[in-house]
């Protein structure tokens, strides 16, 4: 969420309707390659017949979820890379002092900052130089992450620190008045109001000229969500009172605008403020908050989605994913199918037509091409896959799965989890990535201790505090085991415990052991991933004849008693995935694991790894090297396939899950991308 690209995006939106125009106005870091010709598309229906043409009226009618995740307090992650990621993140969060996090809020309200040192980066205080208008956003994420950490591990220190922050932020809210709670003055909202809908002056900003503020509702949403999470997951009653104040403020602010002007205001990134308003409506049973949430429906964005049309080109990805999560929540509270269709189509399209092999999406924070033009998208710049987009898409997946428990959702979730989330956090420090670059010769870059606080740092602390939230789900018939993660499940209501022991994804087997108070009749459904060949299952040591197709569930419906044990084998194999618009541009996977070729670490320094938002890797068609910023050239290693089966020319190497090409001009060693740290790598290859 760089300020530059988001700003120019919003400016472009304000001035034009055509997606192609938006792309042309991006501050491209590289000259655009030749435009990909889009297939002709039928014209949009006239505005008056579009799904959201009529006024949106909220009527509370909760839908019935087909499946539910087990509460986080009933599931514990117990080992493997997942526990290591959880611990690393917990360490990073633990090193952050509450008074430092509160600095900007107290300063904004004229309260004592208690001698704390302010943070840097996007949390730099008002007198800082960079990114200060977003200040406060990370504190919202931190509250959510603390609540998640408490729910997932029982960490009382994390809860105590966040409880203190809620109490201190309540004082800030009291002082600011009217329910408003922020680390910046209301003046940002005045500018948002007065500048929305006005044409933006061309050229660089002039001193003294009022500027569109940097996404104030985006930041409000993070704090709002943090308070709701502290209430829902950590039982903090005061946090709900603070959230109600914030909801009242947002209701009053938005109610004072005409619908037309609100639509103009929604051109500036506003995050998932509607989602928080819907959640507050659900908790309080007060429809007023949901009606306020409806005012944050950006009609120009949701209309084509409800018609199942991809008009995403040129849009800023992480501005829009949270709006779709809000639409999903809106459907859950009302049954309004328009919102269902927005969420359902958006996920299908983005996961299938706009995601790379890792599950990640975006380039330079945008979708810059037409769908299924991913090779062209990849070449637009080196800034692929903004991490917070993956975080939010996985969040959306959970909603869709609850409506329709199709294992395909967990094929996507697992691939993104293993390649784009595990593997983008450093296990030594808990630092996380912003862009996860797929340019050949890229390397992973990370935030530093206290001078970054990007959007992705915020979603990062949440991500690794909730790795237990999607492993086990249930319905009336029993349990769904969706992820293979070492973990314990305690289904208290049934008196049944499951212990999952596995080295997955380092190994392709898992075992589940049952403990019961008394024998329990229930179904245990095991997800058989679509990437495996033939799954094999043993019950109490005896191989079962029943099996299930990849991409379905294997159901074991019986009476379970203490000591019952399931052993599942889901063999991995080497596969190729080519770009839809360039069959020669290929990536290799082993099971769900994307493989990366090791290109060495020559020229890499710590300052090129810790601190930057993405790798300073220069494409041949890129801009000239910046003398003040050390850059490394891309490394393109062409490969020649010796057959359609990759196993014929990519052979297992000594280490497990490691392969080596044979018969190439330059042979390369391939191993899981999620273990590639401090090395240059390639994921996509030109294969002839
Ligand atoms: Zn981000």
């Amino acid at each position: 969420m760089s300020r530059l690209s988001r700003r120019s995006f919003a400016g472009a939106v304000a001035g034009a309707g055509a997606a192609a125009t938006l792309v042309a106005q991006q501050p491209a870091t590289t000259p655009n390659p030749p435009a990909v010709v889009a297939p002709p598309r039928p014209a949009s229906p006239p505005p008056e017949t579009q799904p959201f043409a009529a006024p949106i009226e909220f009527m509370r009618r909760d839908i019935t979820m087909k499946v539910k995740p087990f509460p986080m307090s009933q599931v514990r992650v117990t080992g493997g890379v997942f526990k290591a990621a959880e611990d690393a993140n917990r360490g990073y969060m633990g090193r952050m002092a509450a008074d430092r996090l509160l600095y900007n809020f107290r300063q904004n309200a004229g309260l004592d900052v208690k001698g704390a040192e302010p943070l840097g980066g996007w949390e730099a205080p008002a007198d800082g130089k960079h990114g200060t208008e977003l200040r406060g956003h990370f504190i919202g994420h931190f509250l959510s992450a603390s609540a998640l950490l408490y729910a997932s591990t029982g960490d009382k220190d994390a809860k105590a620190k966040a409880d203190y922050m809620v109490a201190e932020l309540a004082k800030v809210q009291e002082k600011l008045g009217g329910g408003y709670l922020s680390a910046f003055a209301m003046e940002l909202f005045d500018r948002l109001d007065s500048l929305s809908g006005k044409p933006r002056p061309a050229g660089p900003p002039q001193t003294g000229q009022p500027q569109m503020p940097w996404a104030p509702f985006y930041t409000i949403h993070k704090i709002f969500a943090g308070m709701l999470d502290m209430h829902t997951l950590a039982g903090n009653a005061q946090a709900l009172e603070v959230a109600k104040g914030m909801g009242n403020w947002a209701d009053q602010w938005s109610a004072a605008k005409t619908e037309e002007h609100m639509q103009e205001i929604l051109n500036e990134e506003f995050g998932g403020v509607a989602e928080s308003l819907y959640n507050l409506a659900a908790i309080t049973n007060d429809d007023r908050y949901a009606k306020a949430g409806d005012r944050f429906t950006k009609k120009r964005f949701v209309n084509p989605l409800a018609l199942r049309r991809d008009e995403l080109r040129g849009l800023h990805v992480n501005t829009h994913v949270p709006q779709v999560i809000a639409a999903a929540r809106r459907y859950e509270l009302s049954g309004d199918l328009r919102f269902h269709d927005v969420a359902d189509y958006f996920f299908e399209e983005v996961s299938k037509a706009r995601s790379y092999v890792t599950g990640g999406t975006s380039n330079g924070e945008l979708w810059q091409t037409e769908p299924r033009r991913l090779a062209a998208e990849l070449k637009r710049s080196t800034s692929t896959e903004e991490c917070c987009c993956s975080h939010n898409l996985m969040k959306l997946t959970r909603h869709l799965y609850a409506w329709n428990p199709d294992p395909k959702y967990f094929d996507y979730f697992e691939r993104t989890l293993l390649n784009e989330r595990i593997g983008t956090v450093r296990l030594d420090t808990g630092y996380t990535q912003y862009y996860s670059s797929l340019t050949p010769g890229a390397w992973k870059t990370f935030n530093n201790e206290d001078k970054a606080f990007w959007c992705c740092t915020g979603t990062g602390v949440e991500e690794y505090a909730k790795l237990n939230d999607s492993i086990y789900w249930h319905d009336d018939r029993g349990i769904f085991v969706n992820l293979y993660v070492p973990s314990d499940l305690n289904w208290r209501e049934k008196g049944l415990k499951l212990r999952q022991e596995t080295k997955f994804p380092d190994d392709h087997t898992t075992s589940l052991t049952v403990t019961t108070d008394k024998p329990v009749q229930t179904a245990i459904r095991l997800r058989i991933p679509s990437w495996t060949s033939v799954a094999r299952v043993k019950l109490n040591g005896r191989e079962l004849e029943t099996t299930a197709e990849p991409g379905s569930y294997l159901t074991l419906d019986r009476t379970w008693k203490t000591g019952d044990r399931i052993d599942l084998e889901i063999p991995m194999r080497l596969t190729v995935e080519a770009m839809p618009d360039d069959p020669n541009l290929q990536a290799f996977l082993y099971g769900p694991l994307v493989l990366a070729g090791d290109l060495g670490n020559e020229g890499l320094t710590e300052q090129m790894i810790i601190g930057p938002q993405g790798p300073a890797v220069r494409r041949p068609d890129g801009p000239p090297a910046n003398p003040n910023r050390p850059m490394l050239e891309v490394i393109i290693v062409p490969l020649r396939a010796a057959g359609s089966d990759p196993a014929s020319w990519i052979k297992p190497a000594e280490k497990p899950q490691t392969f080596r090409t044979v018969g190439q001009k330059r042979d390369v060693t391939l191993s899981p991308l999620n273990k590639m740290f401090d090395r240059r790598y390639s994921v996509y290859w030109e294969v002839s």
Side-chain angles (χ1 to χ4, degrees):
M1 199 174 69
S2 84
R3 183 178 184 125
L4 190 62
S5 60
R6 275 165 4 92
R7 284 204 152 182
S8 63
F9 158 72
V13 169
T21 320
L22 305 186
V23 171
Q25 295 186 21
Q26 289 311 312
T29 49
T30 59
N32 287 343
V36 173
V37 180
R41 198 161 47 184
S44 297
E48 64 276 11
T49 64
Q50 297 206 351
F52 289 91
I56 303 170
E57 292 191 9
F58 182 80
M59 280 255 294
R60 180 80 183 263
R61 199 185 57 193
D62 290 7
I63 65 157
T64 308
M65 304 290 187
K66 289 197 177 141
V67 288
K68 287 180 180 165
F70 280 95
M72 292 174 75
S73 57
Q74 291 177 222
V75 183
R76 292 284 182 265
V77 170
T78 54
V81 70
F82 307 97
K83 184 81 177 97
E86 181 185 283
D87 287 345
N89 181 51
R90 192 167 165 174
Y92 176 61
M93 288 174 63
R95 296 196 297 275
M96 206 93 57
D99 287 332
R100 294 192 73 189
L101 291 159
L102 291 166
Y103 182 98
N104 286 323
F105 287 87
R106 286 170 166 160
Q107 192 195 49
N108 187 41
L111 296 171
D112 181 10
V113 298
K114 305 205 180 206
E117 184 196 348
L119 304 170
W122 291 10
E123 286 295 341
D127 50 358
K129 287 200 178 75
H130 302 290
T132 62
E133 284 189 344
L134 218 64
R135 61 190 179 273
H137 79 108
F138 182 79
I139 284 67
H141 283 294
F142 191 88
L143 288 176
S144 288
S146 301
L148 291 162
L149 193 57
Y150 175 68
S152 64
T153 66
D155 187 330
K156 292 198 174 70
D157 292 344
K159 174 167 158 57
K161 181 152 79 178
D163 283 342
Y164 167 73
M165 289 172 65
V166 169
E168 293 302 299
L169 289 168
K171 292 178 195 167
V172 170
Q173 186 184 40
E174 180 69 30
K175 183 83 191 297
L176 293 173
Y180 182 66
L181 173 58
S182 176
F184 49 74
M186 192 91 82
E187 180 270 334
L188 266 70
F189 284 97
D190 297 340
R191 268 191 281 144
L192 176 69
D193 184 13
S194 64
L195 296 176
S196 290
K198 302 254 167 68
R200 302 209 180 178
Q206 306 294 312
T207 343
Q209 193 179 62
Q211 295 292 311
M212 185 59 90
W214 189 5
F217 269 117
Y218 170 92
T219 296
I220 292 294
H221 164 236
K222 302 307 173 200
I223 304 159
F224 200 168
M227 290 295 169
L228 291 171
D229 287 337
M230 279 302 293
H231 165 69
T232 312
L233 298 167
N236 184 312
Q238 189 179 20
L240 179 60
E241 294 311 309
V242 175
K244 282 186 203 163
M246 296 185 79
N248 295 340
W249 174 83
D251 178 27
Q252 277 167 18
W253 194 92
S254 55
K257 320 290 177 234
T258 64
E259 194 200 321
E260 190 190 7
H261 188 45
M262 266 311 285
Q263 289 296 314
E264 291 168 344
I265 286 164
L266 299 184
N267 286 329
E268 187 65 17
E269 183 172 8
F270 57 97
V273 69
E275 183 210 3
S276 287
L277 286 162
Y278 295 137
N279 283 335
L280 184 59
I283 294 167
T284 59
N285 276 316
D286 187 345
D287 289 359
R288 187 167 55 89
Y289 297 120
K291 287 171 183 163
D294 284 353
R295 292 184 207 118
F296 292 86
T297 305
K298 183 174 165 183
K299 293 192 173 177
R300 205 181 45 250
F301 171 59
V302 292
N303 264 323
L305 293 173
L307 291 167
R308 309 190 77 79
R309 294 167 60 90
D310 182 336
E311 295 186 9
L312 301 173
R313 183 177 180 183
L315 294 188
H316 181 265
V317 179
N318 206 45
T319 292
H320 291 87
V321 186
Q323 295 179 41
V324 181
I325 296 171
R329 199 67 191 109
R330 175 59 159 79
Y331 166 63
E332 289 170 359
L333 294 188
S334 65
D336 186 327
L337 285 169
R338 294 175 297 177
F339 290 96
H340 168 279
D341 292 353
V342 167
D344 179 63
Y345 173 71
F346 179 87
F347 173 82
E348 286 301 315
E349 184 66 5
V350 172
S351 64
K352 291 205 176 82
R354 293 190 173 278
S355 292
Y356 304 104
V357 64
T358 50
T361 188
S362 81
N363 192 341
E365 310 196 353
L366 313 175
W367 291 297
Q368 302 197 30
T369 62
E370 291 299 326
R372 283 168 283 279
R373 299 294 187 275
L374 280 158
E377 183 80 273
L378 179 66
K379 287 170 186 159
R380 288 291 171 125
S381 86
T382 59
S383 303
T384 42
E385 302 187 296
E386 189 185 356
C387 284
C388 57
C389 304
S390 293
H391 172 90
N392 282 322
L393 278 157
M394 287 164 73
K395 198 170 155 183
L396 174 64
T397 312
R398 286 165 46 87
H399 288 275
L400 296 161
Y401 180 76
W403 312 340
N404 168 27
D406 186 324
K408 73 178 179 183
Y409 291 114
F410 272 92
D411 280 334
Y412 167 82
F413 193 100
E414 178 186 66
R415 185 182 282 208
T416 313
L417 174 69
L418 293 178
N419 299 298
E420 243 286 285
R421 307 312 287 129
I422 293 298
T424 61
V425 56
R426 288 190 82 89
L427 301 181
D428 50 356
T429 54
Y431 297 165
T432 50
Q433 290 199 259
Y434 189 118
Y435 295 124
S436 174
S437 182
L438 291 171
T439 299
W443 59 93
K444 294 179 181 176
T445 61
F446 300 86
N447 68 283
N448 50 30
E449 186 75 11
D450 62 355
K451 290 182 177 52
F453 302 111
W454 309 315
C455 44
C456 303
T457 323
T459 48
V461 290
E462 291 189 43
E463 189 81 80
Y464 309 102
K466 65 175 194 68
L467 292 169
N468 65 341
D469 75 345
S470 299
I471 306 169
Y472 304 103
W473 296 62
H474 68 94
D475 62 5
D476 294 343
R477 278 188 57 208
I479 301 171
F480 294 84
V481 183
N482 276 321
L483 293 170
Y484 298 115
V485 171
S487 53
D488 287 337
L489 164 67
N490 183 0
W491 196 358
R492 284 188 207 113
E493 297 77 2
K494 288 257 185 192
L496 183 146
K497 289 178 184 164
L498 263 190
R499 163 158 290 188
Q500 182 175 179
E501 289 168 297
T502 179
K503 293 194 169 70
F504 188 86
D506 289 351
D507 188 19
H508 65 277
T509 62
T510 191
S511 74
L512 294 146
T513 314
V514 176
T515 309
T516 59
D517 297 343
K518 54 178 196 253
V520 176
Q521 157 77 49
T522 196
I524 297 181
R525 283 155 288 191
L526 307 169
R527 185 177 70 90
I528 307 303
S530 61
W531 48 258
T532 193
S533 42
V534 184
R536 287 161 52 166
V537 65
K538 283 185 196 164
L539 182 61
N540 296 330
R542 240 191 43 240
E543 185 154 345
L544 299 182
E545 279 177 27
T546 51
T547 184
E549 290 294 309
S552 69
Y553 285 105
L554 189 143
T555 302
L556 302 173
D557 198 345
R558 66 196 293 274
T559 301
W560 300 92
K561 58 182 192 321
T562 295
D564 282 343
R565 180 185 162 110
I566 303 165
D567 287 287
L568 176 70
E569 249 186 84
I570 36 176
M572 297 186 187
R573 64 204 157 100
L574 195 64
T575 54
V576 185
E577 216 170 275
M579 284 293 204
D581 53 336
D582 182 355
N584 291 337
L585 196 59
Q586 299 179 357
F588 305 105
L589 297 104
Y590 184 60
L593 299 167
V594 171
L595 298 177
D598 187 345
L599 301 178
N601 62 357
E602 199 182 336
L604 276 190
T605 60
E606 184 170 336
Q607 73 177 83
M608 296 167 93
I609 295 171
I610 305 297
Q613 293 177 354
V617 55
R618 190 185 165 278
R619 300 184 65 94
D621 54 357
N626 177 348
N628 299 319
R629 190 183 177 207
M631 286 193 104
L632 301 177
E633 302 288 323
V634 297
I635 306 175
I636 293 175
V637 180
L639 297 177
R640 196 163 39 81
S644 58
D645 180 4
S648 64
W649 59 282
I650 301 175
K651 301 288 184 186
E654 266 174 43
K655 281 210 247 159
Q657 302 192 332
T658 299
F659 299 84
R660 186 141 176 96
T661 61
V662 292
Q664 305 294 321
K665 245 186 203 156
R666 174 181 170 181
D667 277 307
V668 285
T669 300
L670 298 152
S671 59
L673 172 66
N674 68 15
K675 289 190 177 168
M676 188 75 71
F677 288 92
D678 305 338
R679 310 282 295 174
R680 304 185 67 190
Y681 59 81
S682 188
V683 166
Y684 283 103
W685 308 86
E686 298 280 357
V687 182
S688 56

